[in-house]
Amino acid sequence: MIIFITGATAGFGAAMVKRFINKGYKVIATGRRSERLDQMKAEYGDHLYPLVLDVQDKEMVSKAIDSLPAEWKRIDVLINNAGLALGTELAQKASLEDWDTMIQTNINGFLYCTHKILPDMVSRNHGQIINLGSVAGEFPYQGGNVYGATKAFVHQMSMNLRSDLLGTNVRVTNIEPGMCHTEFSEVRFKGDKEKADSVYKGIKALSADDIAETIDWVITRPAHVNINVISLMPTQQAFAGFSVHRT
């Protein structure tokens, strides 16, 4: 099995690489940080193919995938993992640049990789696409504005792909994690580790390994079974009621 993972150099992606290679799968690990990819290659050897890739760059995505050696071209599973949140400001105070970056990565990057890889899966009548959404795509919170909207797009696009793929054996799943303790919050708070760590204070959050294990379960279901959506949270996270502003 060949698995193509975007955003493979940290967090969920790095945990997936480790788990899948340890199971004997071959992994195309992509990311912008070539030094991390080099380290992964040194650690995992021939089961890993490192591919420097910025999913925001449409031409780079196309050329990078075209450049894969023949023995790596038959991708069985595409995991659209690359994504990020930037800032928690209210919409009226948020950075337009941050909004653009989230849209370019979380939406366009997901689309560029899917559009490039999906046709071959359909022609072979075999393959699976795993998209990393978020509970933020379903449940809004203050400051989640564009991040939540991008994950709502991932959810709906995953459902629409399933509709388009009816009659084929290509499967699509949207994974929607809740609070996970990875580099996610450090990126969101632009390197402020103290602020990022405070998000998880007193909470046993999900881990990157939890997400990798969940995806492993999804891709090992029988070929006739499609898992549409998995929403998962730590037990210390649940749902709040409506917000009300009183005058």
Side-chain angles (χ1 to χ4, degrees), residues 181-202:
H181 199 165
T182 65
E183 293 179 12
F184 176 86
S185 287
E186 285 186 51
V187 173
R188 178 167 229 167
F189 295 118
K190 301 177 181 179
D192 188 334
K193 192 172 188 309
E194 184 177 350
K195 194 171 183 179
D197 287 343
S198 70
V199 173
Y200 309 104
K201 188 176 181 180

Side-chain angles (χ1 to χ4, degrees), residues 20 42 44 49 56 66-67 78 81 113 152 157-158 162-163 186 195 197:
F20 295 146
Y44 297 119
Y49 187 91
Q56 299 181 66
D66 283 342
S67 75
L78 163 62
N81 169 68
C113 293
M157 185 62 182
S158 298
R162 279 289 303 132
S163 294
E186 285 186 51
K195 194 171 183 179
D197 287 343

Side-chain angles (χ1 to χ4, degrees), residues 215-233:
I215 293 173
D216 188 8
W217 179 82
V218 170
I219 67 176
T220 53
R221 294 311 83 208
H224 70 287
V225 176
N226 189 91
I227 307 299
N228 297 324
V229 182
I230 292 183
S231 176
L232 63 160
M233 293 177 171

Side-chain angles (χ1 to χ4, degrees), residues 42-199:
E43 180 176 358
Y44 297 119
D46 292 341
H47 276 269
L48 183 136
Y49 187 91
L51 190 66
V52 176
L53 182 63
D54 181 352
V55 297
Q56 299 181 66
D57 187 330
K58 178 168 55 178
E59 294 304 318
M60 187 179 190
V61 169
S62 181
K63 290 177 181 177
I65 294 171
D66 283 342
S67 75
L68 290 170
E71 64 271 23
W72 287 91
K73 284 187 180 292
R74 292 174 61 86
I75 295 166
D76 298 290
V77 181
L78 163 62
I79 303 179
N80 284 306
N81 169 68
L84 77 169
L86 291 173
T88 55
E89 294 80 8
L90 302 179
Q92 60 269 31
K93 298 179 180 178
S95 160
L96 187 58
E97 184 179 61
D98 286 349
W99 281 7
D100 281 340
T101 300
M102 286 186 281
I103 290 168
Q104 278 295 115
T105 307
N106 301 356
I107 295 180
N108 290 347
F110 153 48
L111 293 178
Y112 297 157
C113 293
T114 301
H115 189 265
K116 185 68 179 177
I117 292 172
L118 180 59
D120 184 61
M121 289 182 172
V122 173
S123 70
R124 291 185 285 120
N125 200 29
H126 168 80
Q128 192 164 9
I129 297 175
I130 310 290
N131 300 319
L132 265 295
S134 169
V135 294
E138 186 173 359
F139 305 104
Y141 59 88
Q142 279 196 334
N145 40 71
V146 167
Y147 173 69
T150 63
K151 293 305 183 179
F153 179 93
V154 172
H155 176 98
Q156 190 60 32
M157 185 62 182
S158 298
M159 299 300 100
N160 287 352
L161 283 170
R162 279 289 303 132
S163 294
D164 288 350
L165 291 166
L166 185 64
T168 77
N169 290 325
V170 181
R171 299 184 287 174
V172 182
T173 300
N174 184 31
I175 306 291
E176 301 184 338
M179 295 181 74
C180 292
H181 199 165
T182 65
E183 293 179 12
F184 176 86
S185 287
E186 285 186 51
V187 173
R188 178 167 229 167
F189 295 118
K190 301 177 181 179
D192 188 334
K193 192 172 188 309
E194 184 177 350
K195 194 171 183 179
D197 287 343
S198 70
V199 173

